[in-house]
Amino acid sequence: MTDPTNPQFIRDSNAQALAAHQADYDALGAQLQRLGRDIESVVDAVSRFAVAIPSWGVGTGGTRFARFPGPGEPRNVYEKLEDCAVIQALTRATPAVSLHLPWDRTGDYAQLREVASGLGLAFDAMNSNTFQDQTGQPHSYKFGSITHTDRATREQAIAHNIDCIQAGKQLGSRALTLWVGDGANFPGQHHLTRAFERYLESAKQIYAALPPDWTLLLEHKMYEPAFYASVIQDWGTSLLAAQSLGPQARCLVDLGHHAPNVNIEMIVARLIYAGKLGGFHFNDSKYGDDDLDAGSIEPFRLFLVFDQLVDAQYRRVSSFSPAYMLDQSHNVTDPIESLMSSAIELQRAFAQALLVDREALSQHQHSNDVLLAAQTLKRAFTLDVHPILCEARRRRGGAIDPIHTYRRSGYRAARAQARPAVAGSGSGIV
Ligand code: RM4
Ligand code: MN
Ligand code: MN
């Protein structure tokens, strides 16, 4: 194996692609210049774009039916960081990792932080887990966690979230993402209002434990594991909760957590308006799954979400700095490859959104020129910004072609040797 994070290896790999890349880049630069756009400023913005990797994403996921482990899966949080470092070295778009406790629990967070920073990685939002029971846990989450009818169970779930904040403080994280699977499978199973009241009461206690510079990200999800009524099922409930908790609480939009055909870019626009857009879990979905690779099914929708984000920047919306994270489960691909290509899909949507002619769009909107307004967006979406993405990576020491470079390194085969599978490995979601 060649170390895929080795700068010389990346440069050598880039050398083979450089001439073709340069020709494509120059051609796109000339095309954009004719449109009155400067390619350099887009490269610059794209090279500063960052999205956090979910630690659970580097393992192979699974479905309700089975999990098919992949070769060389990381067996603990340190090995997950090794894989994240490969993604970052090749894409230069993923400098931080989002941890999930207790999956990533370790005795010494100061040491973990040091190892991560040696690998060029920092820590993004912490994620708590009260949707599974852990061995030895006194109270079960079968019927809920922070909304449970039983006070002791709620207190246990609250304490776990506070633990996540404590661990996050040592890691340099500044946010806690609160997603709970709590809800009902049958009408009548729980009291729709009282369950929400219990959520608020518990979330208040978690909120009170936040350091002043932290954000509490409230994540909604329409269904699963609760199939009839999730307590925090949509952005309206999430916004209501964030508003009643206070300024440090904001809403997190996981792209996979909506009913099919829901207009997610409108949700984003409304949350921006309310000053409550806290961040994203990027992924894609077709039917009921919430964890397909970003941009793999609906790239236009991803673009329209980024269009709202760029529009907010363009309008200089105050205190606008959403946290970007991926949240995916890879069942049939090499997770490293899926995460690299997903990060790149986000950059693609971002670059396209940056290229929207916002002045023209605004004029067409004012004069009700529907066709030209729609075409203004489509024009940006159909631009092939691939050379911009390659150039942004190359300038930061990343790979012109991350997937090809990764495969050439032989990393996965070497990990398969070095990491024999262990029973009950903490990788992936089942
Ligand atoms: C949930 C949700 C959470 C993630 C878990 C693993 O569907 O997306 O963000 O932490 O899955
Ligand atoms: Mn999520
Ligand atoms: Mn999800």
Side-chain angles (χ1 to χ4, degrees), residues 327-346:
D327 183 6
Q328 303 181 166
S329 171
H330 313 107
N331 304 333
V332 292
T333 53
D334 179 328
I336 291 182
E337 295 187 3
S338 267
L339 288 163
M340 289 198 297
S341 77
S342 299
I344 293 167
E345 287 315 302
L346 301 187

Side-chain angles (χ1 to χ4, degrees), residues 219 221 254 257 290-291 327:
E219 180 177 2
K221 181 176 184 182
D254 183 314
H257 288 187
D290 57 333
D291 287 317
D327 183 6

Side-chain angles (χ1 to χ4, degrees), residues 384-398:
D384 181 3
V385 297
H386 179 73
I388 292 177
L389 313 184
C390 297
E391 184 62 9
R393 282 193 294 277
R394 192 191 68 80
R395 288 191 189 172
R396 291 212 149 202

Side-chain angles (χ1 to χ4, degrees), residues 302-324:
L302 187 62
F303 162 77
L304 292 173
V305 167
F306 271 92
D307 174 55
Q308 290 306 309
L309 299 173
V310 172
D311 177 74
Q313 274 169 11
Y314 183 77
R315 290 187 289 117
R316 298 183 198 288
V317 169
S318 67
S319 75
F320 175 74
S321 61
Y324 298 140

Side-chain angles (χ1 to χ4, degrees), residues 99-227:
L99 293 190
H100 216 302
L101 299 192
W103 292 341
D104 297 320
R105 178 165 286 152
T106 165
D108 190 344
Y109 290 108
Q111 194 208 358
L112 185 65
R113 186 178 185 175
E114 240 180 80
V115 171
S117 98
L119 291 168
L121 298 168
F123 291 99
D124 210 286
M126 302 297 292
N127 298 264
S128 59
N129 178 341
T130 59
F131 48 87
Q132 286 174 327
D133 284 349
Q134 308 301 325
T135 23
Q137 176 183 309
H139 307 282
S140 170
Y141 296 136
K142 180 169 180 178
F143 298 110
S145 61
I146 66 167
T147 77
H148 201 287
T149 46
D150 171 50
R151 174 173 296 279
T153 310
R154 294 201 297 277
E155 277 169 3
Q156 175 184 278
I158 293 165
H160 166 65
N161 276 282
I162 295 172
D163 268 1
C164 290
I165 297 173
Q166 301 308 346
K169 280 204 250 180
Q170 298 178 60
L171 292 167
S173 166
R174 298 226 332 261
L176 172 71
T177 299
L178 180 62
W179 173 71
V180 293
D182 296 23
N185 278 23
F186 293 91
Q189 180 183 332
H190 75 196
H191 191 287
L192 296 180
T193 302
R194 291 202 182 112
F196 184 54
E197 285 168 353
R198 289 193 292 269
Y199 174 90
L200 287 177
E201 195 191 292
S202 300
K204 266 180 200 150
Q205 294 182 53
I206 299 167
Y207 186 93
L210 289 175
D213 58 343
W214 273 53
T215 306
L216 181 61
L217 297 169
L218 307 181
E219 180 177 2
H220 63 272
K221 181 176 184 182
M222 183 182 54
Y223 80 101
E224 200 199 25
F227 288 119

